[in-house]
Short mmCIF file of all heavy atoms in Angstrom, two decimals:
data_model
loop_
_atom_site.label_atom_id
_atom_site.label_comp_id
_atom_site.label_asym_id
_atom_site.label_seq_id
_atom_site.Cartn_x
_atom_site.Cartn_y
_atom_site.Cartn_z
N GLY A 1355 -5.11 -6.49 3.21
CA GLY A 1355 -3.81 -6.76 2.61
C GLY A 1355 -3.80 -6.31 1.16
O GLY A 1355 -4.81 -6.41 0.47
N ILE A 1356 -2.67 -5.81 0.72
CA ILE A 1356 -2.52 -5.36 -0.66
C ILE A 1356 -1.38 -6.15 -1.29
O ILE A 1356 -0.26 -6.17 -0.78
CB ILE A 1356 -2.22 -3.84 -0.74
CG1 ILE A 1356 -3.39 -3.05 -0.14
CG2 ILE A 1356 -1.96 -3.42 -2.18
CD1 ILE A 1356 -3.11 -1.57 0.03
N ILE A 1357 -1.70 -6.83 -2.39
CA ILE A 1357 -0.72 -7.63 -3.11
C ILE A 1357 -0.30 -6.86 -4.35
O ILE A 1357 -1.12 -6.56 -5.22
CB ILE A 1357 -1.30 -9.00 -3.52
CG1 ILE A 1357 -1.94 -9.71 -2.32
CG2 ILE A 1357 -0.22 -9.87 -4.18
CD1 ILE A 1357 -0.99 -10.04 -1.21
N GLY A 1358 1.00 -6.54 -4.45
CA GLY A 1358 1.46 -5.72 -5.56
C GLY A 1358 1.30 -4.25 -5.25
O GLY A 1358 0.65 -3.51 -5.98
N GLY A 1359 1.90 -3.82 -4.16
CA GLY A 1359 1.64 -2.48 -3.65
C GLY A 1359 2.53 -1.39 -4.20
O GLY A 1359 2.38 -0.23 -3.83
N SER A 1360 3.47 -1.71 -5.10
CA SER A 1360 4.41 -0.69 -5.55
C SER A 1360 3.98 0.02 -6.82
O SER A 1360 4.61 1.00 -7.22
CB SER A 1360 5.80 -1.31 -5.76
OG SER A 1360 5.76 -2.29 -6.78
N GLY A 1361 2.90 -0.44 -7.46
CA GLY A 1361 2.43 0.18 -8.69
C GLY A 1361 1.45 1.31 -8.43
O GLY A 1361 1.18 1.69 -7.28
N TYR A 1362 0.89 1.85 -9.51
CA TYR A 1362 -0.03 2.98 -9.38
C TYR A 1362 -1.30 2.61 -8.62
O TYR A 1362 -1.73 3.33 -7.72
CB TYR A 1362 -0.40 3.51 -10.77
CG TYR A 1362 0.72 4.19 -11.50
CD1 TYR A 1362 0.95 3.91 -12.85
CD2 TYR A 1362 1.55 5.12 -10.88
CE1 TYR A 1362 1.98 4.54 -13.55
CE2 TYR A 1362 2.58 5.74 -11.57
CZ TYR A 1362 2.79 5.45 -12.91
OH TYR A 1362 3.79 6.07 -13.60
N THR A 1363 -1.93 1.48 -8.98
CA THR A 1363 -3.18 1.12 -8.30
C THR A 1363 -2.92 0.75 -6.85
O THR A 1363 -3.72 1.09 -5.97
CB THR A 1363 -3.89 -0.04 -9.03
OG1 THR A 1363 -2.99 -1.16 -9.14
CG2 THR A 1363 -4.34 0.37 -10.42
N GLY A 1364 -1.81 0.08 -6.58
CA GLY A 1364 -1.46 -0.23 -5.20
C GLY A 1364 -1.24 1.03 -4.39
O GLY A 1364 -1.69 1.14 -3.26
N GLY A 1365 -0.54 2.00 -4.96
CA GLY A 1365 -0.29 3.25 -4.26
C GLY A 1365 -1.57 4.01 -3.95
O GLY A 1365 -1.72 4.57 -2.85
N GLU A 1366 -2.50 4.04 -4.91
CA GLU A 1366 -3.77 4.72 -4.66
C GLU A 1366 -4.60 3.98 -3.61
O GLU A 1366 -5.27 4.61 -2.79
CB GLU A 1366 -4.55 4.87 -5.97
CG GLU A 1366 -3.97 5.89 -6.92
CD GLU A 1366 -3.98 7.30 -6.34
OE1 GLU A 1366 -3.06 7.63 -5.55
OE2 GLU A 1366 -4.90 8.07 -6.65
N LEU A 1367 -4.54 2.66 -3.60
CA LEU A 1367 -5.24 1.89 -2.57
C LEU A 1367 -4.69 2.22 -1.19
O LEU A 1367 -5.45 2.42 -0.23
CB LEU A 1367 -5.10 0.40 -2.85
CG LEU A 1367 -6.23 -0.28 -3.58
CD1 LEU A 1367 -5.87 -1.73 -3.89
CD2 LEU A 1367 -7.53 -0.22 -2.79
N ILE A 1368 -3.36 2.25 -1.08
CA ILE A 1368 -2.75 2.58 0.21
C ILE A 1368 -3.21 3.96 0.67
O ILE A 1368 -3.60 4.16 1.83
CB ILE A 1368 -1.21 2.53 0.10
CG1 ILE A 1368 -0.75 1.12 -0.22
CG2 ILE A 1368 -0.57 3.01 1.41
CD1 ILE A 1368 0.71 1.03 -0.65
N ARG A 1369 -3.16 4.93 -0.24
CA ARG A 1369 -3.56 6.30 0.10
C ARG A 1369 -5.00 6.36 0.60
O ARG A 1369 -5.29 7.01 1.62
CB ARG A 1369 -3.39 7.20 -1.13
CG ARG A 1369 -3.81 8.65 -0.90
CD ARG A 1369 -3.41 9.52 -2.09
NE ARG A 1369 -4.23 9.29 -3.26
CZ ARG A 1369 -5.30 10.01 -3.59
NH1 ARG A 1369 -5.71 10.99 -2.78
NH2 ARG A 1369 -5.97 9.78 -4.70
N ILE A 1370 -5.91 5.66 -0.07
CA ILE A 1370 -7.32 5.68 0.33
C ILE A 1370 -7.51 4.96 1.66
O ILE A 1370 -8.17 5.46 2.57
CB ILE A 1370 -8.20 5.02 -0.75
CG1 ILE A 1370 -8.16 5.84 -2.05
CG2 ILE A 1370 -9.65 4.90 -0.28
CD1 ILE A 1370 -8.78 5.13 -3.24
N LEU A 1371 -6.93 3.76 1.78
CA LEU A 1371 -7.19 2.94 2.96
C LEU A 1371 -6.56 3.51 4.22
O LEU A 1371 -7.06 3.30 5.33
CB LEU A 1371 -6.70 1.50 2.71
CG LEU A 1371 -7.46 0.73 1.63
CD1 LEU A 1371 -6.88 -0.68 1.48
CD2 LEU A 1371 -8.96 0.66 1.93
N LEU A 1372 -5.45 4.24 4.08
CA LEU A 1372 -4.86 4.90 5.26
C LEU A 1372 -5.83 5.90 5.88
O LEU A 1372 -5.76 6.18 7.08
CB LEU A 1372 -3.56 5.61 4.86
CG LEU A 1372 -2.33 4.74 4.69
CD1 LEU A 1372 -1.18 5.56 4.12
CD2 LEU A 1372 -1.91 4.09 6.01
N ASN A 1373 -6.73 6.43 5.06
CA ASN A 1373 -7.69 7.43 5.55
C ASN A 1373 -9.10 6.88 5.68
O ASN A 1373 -10.03 7.64 5.95
CB ASN A 1373 -7.69 8.63 4.59
CG ASN A 1373 -6.37 9.39 4.62
OD1 ASN A 1373 -6.07 10.09 5.57
ND2 ASN A 1373 -5.58 9.22 3.57
N HIS A 1374 -9.24 5.56 5.53
CA HIS A 1374 -10.57 4.93 5.65
C HIS A 1374 -10.85 4.66 7.13
O HIS A 1374 -10.05 4.01 7.81
CB HIS A 1374 -10.59 3.63 4.85
CG HIS A 1374 -11.96 3.08 4.62
ND1 HIS A 1374 -12.75 2.58 5.64
CD2 HIS A 1374 -12.69 2.93 3.48
CE1 HIS A 1374 -13.90 2.14 5.13
NE2 HIS A 1374 -13.88 2.36 3.82
N PRO A 1375 -11.97 5.14 7.65
CA PRO A 1375 -12.21 5.02 9.10
C PRO A 1375 -12.48 3.60 9.58
O PRO A 1375 -12.45 3.35 10.79
CB PRO A 1375 -13.45 5.90 9.31
CG PRO A 1375 -14.16 5.90 7.99
CD PRO A 1375 -13.08 5.86 6.96
N GLU A 1376 -12.73 2.66 8.66
CA GLU A 1376 -13.08 1.30 9.08
C GLU A 1376 -12.02 0.28 8.71
O GLU A 1376 -12.26 -0.93 8.81
CB GLU A 1376 -14.42 0.89 8.44
CG GLU A 1376 -15.59 1.83 8.72
CD GLU A 1376 -15.97 1.86 10.19
OE1 GLU A 1376 -15.59 0.95 10.93
OE2 GLU A 1376 -16.66 2.83 10.60
N VAL A 1377 -10.84 0.74 8.24
CA VAL A 1377 -9.82 -0.17 7.73
C VAL A 1377 -8.48 0.09 8.39
O VAL A 1377 -8.10 1.24 8.62
CB VAL A 1377 -9.69 -0.03 6.20
CG1 VAL A 1377 -8.52 -0.88 5.67
CG2 VAL A 1377 -10.98 -0.43 5.49
N THR A 1378 -7.75 -0.98 8.66
CA THR A 1378 -6.34 -0.89 8.99
C THR A 1378 -5.58 -1.75 7.98
O THR A 1378 -6.03 -2.86 7.65
CB THR A 1378 -6.05 -1.35 10.43
OG1 THR A 1378 -4.66 -1.23 10.69
CG2 THR A 1378 -6.46 -2.80 10.65
N ILE A 1379 -4.49 -1.23 7.44
CA ILE A 1379 -3.71 -1.99 6.46
C ILE A 1379 -2.82 -2.97 7.21
O ILE A 1379 -1.95 -2.57 7.99
CB ILE A 1379 -2.88 -1.05 5.57
CG1 ILE A 1379 -3.78 -0.10 4.79
CG2 ILE A 1379 -2.03 -1.88 4.59
CD1 ILE A 1379 -3.03 0.90 3.92
N ASP A 1380 -3.05 -4.26 6.99
CA ASP A 1380 -2.32 -5.31 7.68
C ASP A 1380 -0.95 -5.55 7.04
O ASP A 1380 0.04 -5.74 7.75
CB ASP A 1380 -3.15 -6.61 7.64
CG ASP A 1380 -2.57 -7.68 8.52
OD1 ASP A 1380 -2.27 -7.38 9.69
OD2 ASP A 1380 -2.41 -8.82 8.05
N PHE A 1381 -0.89 -5.52 5.72
CA PHE A 1381 0.39 -5.71 5.03
C PHE A 1381 0.27 -5.20 3.60
O PHE A 1381 -0.82 -5.14 3.03
CB PHE A 1381 0.82 -7.19 5.03
CG PHE A 1381 -0.10 -8.09 4.23
CD1 PHE A 1381 0.14 -8.33 2.88
CD2 PHE A 1381 -1.19 -8.70 4.82
CE1 PHE A 1381 -0.70 -9.17 2.15
CE2 PHE A 1381 -2.03 -9.54 4.10
CZ PHE A 1381 -1.78 -9.77 2.76
N VAL A 1382 1.43 -4.80 3.05
CA VAL A 1382 1.54 -4.43 1.65
C VAL A 1382 2.64 -5.30 1.05
O VAL A 1382 3.82 -5.12 1.35
CB VAL A 1382 1.87 -2.94 1.46
CG1 VAL A 1382 1.92 -2.60 -0.03
CG2 VAL A 1382 0.83 -2.06 2.16
N PHE A 1383 2.25 -6.24 0.23
CA PHE A 1383 3.16 -7.25 -0.30
C PHE A 1383 3.80 -6.77 -1.60
O PHE A 1383 3.13 -6.23 -2.48
CB PHE A 1383 2.39 -8.55 -0.57
CG PHE A 1383 3.20 -9.64 -1.21
CD1 PHE A 1383 3.92 -10.52 -0.42
CD2 PHE A 1383 3.23 -9.79 -2.59
CE1 PHE A 1383 4.66 -11.55 -1.01
CE2 PHE A 1383 3.97 -10.80 -3.18
CZ PHE A 1383 4.69 -11.68 -2.39
N SER A 1384 5.12 -6.95 -1.70
CA SER A 1384 5.82 -6.65 -2.94
C SER A 1384 7.03 -7.56 -3.05
O SER A 1384 7.81 -7.69 -2.10
CB SER A 1384 6.28 -5.18 -2.96
OG SER A 1384 7.09 -4.92 -4.08
N THR A 1385 7.18 -8.20 -4.19
CA THR A 1385 8.34 -9.08 -4.38
C THR A 1385 9.60 -8.28 -4.67
O THR A 1385 10.71 -8.74 -4.40
CB THR A 1385 8.09 -10.05 -5.54
OG1 THR A 1385 7.77 -9.30 -6.72
CG2 THR A 1385 6.95 -11.01 -5.23
N THR A 1386 9.47 -7.09 -5.21
CA THR A 1386 10.62 -6.30 -5.63
C THR A 1386 11.09 -5.31 -4.56
O THR A 1386 12.21 -4.83 -4.64
CB THR A 1386 10.31 -5.52 -6.92
OG1 THR A 1386 9.19 -4.65 -6.69
CG2 THR A 1386 9.97 -6.48 -8.06
N ARG A 1387 10.24 -4.98 -3.57
CA ARG A 1387 10.60 -3.94 -2.60
C ARG A 1387 10.45 -4.40 -1.15
O ARG A 1387 10.39 -3.56 -0.25
CB ARG A 1387 9.74 -2.70 -2.83
CG ARG A 1387 10.07 -1.96 -4.12
CD ARG A 1387 9.21 -0.74 -4.29
NE ARG A 1387 9.58 0.04 -5.44
CZ ARG A 1387 10.45 1.06 -5.44
NH1 ARG A 1387 11.03 1.41 -4.32
NH2 ARG A 1387 10.72 1.72 -6.54
N ALA A 1388 10.40 -5.68 -0.91
CA ALA A 1388 10.23 -6.17 0.46
C ALA A 1388 11.30 -5.59 1.38
O ALA A 1388 12.50 -5.60 1.06
CB ALA A 1388 10.28 -7.70 0.47
N GLY A 1389 10.86 -5.07 2.54
CA GLY A 1389 11.76 -4.47 3.51
C GLY A 1389 11.97 -2.98 3.33
O GLY A 1389 12.46 -2.32 4.25
N LYS A 1390 11.61 -2.44 2.19
CA LYS A 1390 11.77 -1.01 1.94
C LYS A 1390 10.52 -0.25 2.38
O LYS A 1390 9.43 -0.80 2.47
CB LYS A 1390 12.03 -0.76 0.45
CG LYS A 1390 13.32 -1.37 -0.06
CD LYS A 1390 13.52 -1.06 -1.53
CE LYS A 1390 14.83 -1.65 -2.04
NZ LYS A 1390 15.03 -1.38 -3.48
N LYS A 1391 10.69 1.04 2.65
CA LYS A 1391 9.58 1.88 3.04
C LYS A 1391 8.56 1.98 1.90
O LYS A 1391 8.94 2.07 0.72
CB LYS A 1391 10.05 3.29 3.39
CG LYS A 1391 10.92 3.38 4.65
CD LYS A 1391 10.08 3.18 5.90
CE LYS A 1391 10.90 3.43 7.16
NZ LYS A 1391 10.10 3.15 8.39
N VAL A 1392 7.28 1.99 2.26
CA VAL A 1392 6.24 2.21 1.26
C VAL A 1392 6.44 3.55 0.57
O VAL A 1392 6.23 3.69 -0.64
CB VAL A 1392 4.84 2.13 1.93
CG1 VAL A 1392 3.77 2.71 1.02
CG2 VAL A 1392 4.51 0.69 2.30
N SER A 1393 6.91 4.53 1.31
CA SER A 1393 7.13 5.86 0.74
C SER A 1393 8.29 5.89 -0.26
O SER A 1393 8.44 6.86 -0.99
CB SER A 1393 7.36 6.88 1.84
OG SER A 1393 8.47 6.52 2.65
N SER A 1394 9.10 4.83 -0.31
CA SER A 1394 10.18 4.79 -1.31
C SER A 1394 9.60 4.62 -2.71
O SER A 1394 10.20 5.08 -3.68
CB SER A 1394 11.15 3.65 -1.00
OG SER A 1394 10.55 2.37 -1.23
N ALA A 1395 8.44 3.96 -2.81
CA ALA A 1395 7.76 3.82 -4.10
C ALA A 1395 6.70 4.88 -4.29
O ALA A 1395 6.40 5.26 -5.42
CB ALA A 1395 7.12 2.43 -4.20
N HIS A 1396 6.15 5.37 -3.18
CA HIS A 1396 5.07 6.36 -3.23
C HIS A 1396 5.47 7.57 -2.38
O HIS A 1396 5.06 7.69 -1.22
CB HIS A 1396 3.77 5.73 -2.72
CG HIS A 1396 3.42 4.45 -3.40
ND1 HIS A 1396 3.12 4.39 -4.75
CD2 HIS A 1396 3.34 3.17 -2.93
CE1 HIS A 1396 2.86 3.13 -5.08
NE2 HIS A 1396 2.99 2.38 -4.00
#
């Protein structure tokens, strides 16, 4: 899980973990963008 996923560090974490062979991203939490596509911020 990623808390605060709309910033620079959150975006880089998403990018890395999407390509990590041992990880699945369960959720990306954001208070300001809930319901919006992750790609809207990244």
Side-chain angles (χ1 to χ4, degrees):
I1356 298 171
I1357 309 297
S1360 62
Y1362 291 135
T1363 56
E1366 288 297 82
L1367 264 175
I1368 296 167
R1369 179 171 72 95
I1370 295 169
L1371 294 180
L1372 282 172
N1373 293 287
H1374 194 293
E1376 304 295 343
V1377 174
T1378 181
I1379 300 178
D1380 189 49
F1381 66 91
V1382 182
F1383 176 88
S1384 173
T1385 56
T1386 59
R1387 291 181 175 268
K1390 297 181 179 179
K1391 293 287 187 184
V1392 165
S1393 58
S1394 69
H1396 308 296

